[in-house]
Amino acid sequence: MTSTFVRAPLALAVSMLLAQSTLWAASLPAVDHSLVPQVAAKAKAVADATPRLQWQMRALPSAFDAKSLGAEGAARAHLGQLLARQDVGKHAGEAFELHSTSPLSGGAHIVQFTRRVNGIEVFREDVGLLIDAQSRLVAFRGRDALLQSQGKSLPAFVLGAADAAALAMSAYGFDRPIAQKSLRPADRAGDYEWFATTPGLRSATGAVNRRPVRVKPVYFPVAGAGLVPAYYVETQIQPGEHAAAEYYAHVLSAVDGRVLFRHFQQADGAIP
């Protein structure tokens, strides 16, 4: 795709690698157990938890032919070098899947990868590399993507996708067994499954589900505990008769069902 920064200086394109967040008031509390304790203790430190940008300006090693590699190949070569320099070993089932390649002014590219382990996405551990026209690495952005994966075998997924959907709904007062019984598969695409609920189903507090619940499996990086099997769940629920529907993203442990992450999507315009 063509960048909107075509006429801007190359350095300006770096801003495309940074995520922006805004806190809004909402019915459910925000949760993020991926944050290190010092950051999690700060109520307004969301910006401190966003992926860090690292300036590199490193040339492509002479062993690689920049012309034959292209932008993705050059980015993968630099990523491999970053892993090697930091002495970070890859998990046996770890891979970096191409998410996007965005051409910029002067022949530069932003190349973004999604990290997967055993074929399952690692939540928010995407990486972005800014490669200039000479295939040099200008900047790198990632949330712990180069931290060593757990060498031991990962915990198994105990709960299913429908369990996670019902758990997310229970935050609005829906009885979990009743909600789970009402759920029925509605669609599937890529990593996602959609579950519809029985029409007219209301929680004890009067909440109504307004859209099929969207669910996908992920690994969630918990501070100090490594990767935890989990489900990313998106809900659109109207908490009361005179209230507007609320869009939430939840991540729920597939081991014990606890809430690992919750984000009010209207806060940054991320309406599902």
Side-chain angles (χ1 to χ4, degrees):
M1 67 181 187
T2 301
S3 170
T4 57
F5 291 92
V6 168
R7 298 190 180 183
L10 180 60
L12 185 58
V14 172
S15 63
M16 296 176 64
L17 295 171
L18 297 174
Q20 300 296 323
S21 297
T22 304
L23 294 179
W24 284 15
S27 296
L28 304 179
V31 177
D32 191 347
H33 289 294
S34 71
L35 305 183
V36 295
Q38 298 93 320
V39 176
K42 299 178 182 180
K44 297 183 180 180
V46 174
D48 291 341
T50 58
R52 293 291 187 258
L53 182 70
Q54 302 175 28
W55 294 91
Q56 300 287 329
M57 213 59 194
R58 296 180 182 271
L60 190 68
S62 58
F64 297 96
D65 179 7
K67 291 183 179 180
S68 63
L69 285 176
E72 179 187 351
R76 288 190 180 279
H78 282 295
L79 182 57
Q81 291 293 309
L82 285 169
L83 289 166
R85 278 196 297 272
Q86 298 190 17
D87 193 26
V88 178
K90 286 179 66 179
H91 185 280
E94 184 177 25
F96 290 90
E97 178 184 89
L98 180 67
H99 178 270
S100 64
T101 301
S102 304
L104 305 173
S105 176
H109 288 79
I110 290 178
V111 183
Q112 299 191 76
F113 297 99
T114 297
R115 183 186 178 201
R116 289 183 178 268
V117 174
N118 299 331
I120 296 173
E121 180 181 334
V122 180
F123 184 68
R124 294 194 308 181
E125 283 208 357
D126 61 313
V127 299
L129 298 93
L130 179 58
I131 308 295
D132 72 8
Q134 286 73 49
S135 295
R136 292 175 298 187
L137 175 61
V138 177
F140 170 85
R141 189 270 296 152
R143 177 196 286 274
D144 301 336
L146 299 185
L147 293 181
Q148 186 172 3
S149 300
Q150 300 296 307
K152 59 185 179 182
S153 58
L154 297 171
F157 280 75
V158 177
L159 302 178
D163 297 311
L167 279 167
M169 293 176 63
S170 70
Y172 279 96
F174 287 94
D175 181 81
R176 180 183 166 187
I178 293 176
Q180 187 161 353
K181 187 176 180 180
S182 76
L183 292 169
R184 60 186 186 280
D187 199 3
R188 180 189 290 268
D191 294 339
Y192 284 102
E193 294 181 71
W194 283 260
F195 293 91
T197 55
T198 303
L201 179 67
R202 289 183 178 271
S203 73
T205 59
V208 179
N209 183 53
R210 291 301 185 190
R211 180 181 289 188
V213 182
R214 189 164 79 149
V215 185
K216 71 175 177 180
V218 297
Y219 281 114
F220 186 87
V222 175
L227 299 181
V228 174
Y231 289 97
Y232 171 79
V233 183
E234 291 179 344
T235 58
Q236 179 188 343
I237 293 177
Q238 183 179 354
E241 183 177 354
H242 301 294
E246 297 181 343
Y247 300 81
Y248 270 95
H250 321 250
V251 178
L252 303 159
S253 169
V255 177
D256 56 18
R258 68 191 176 106
V259 180
L260 301 174
F261 175 87
R262 184 188 290 128
H263 177 65
F264 183 49
Q265 303 249 68
Q266 282 105 316
D268 54 12
I271 307 301

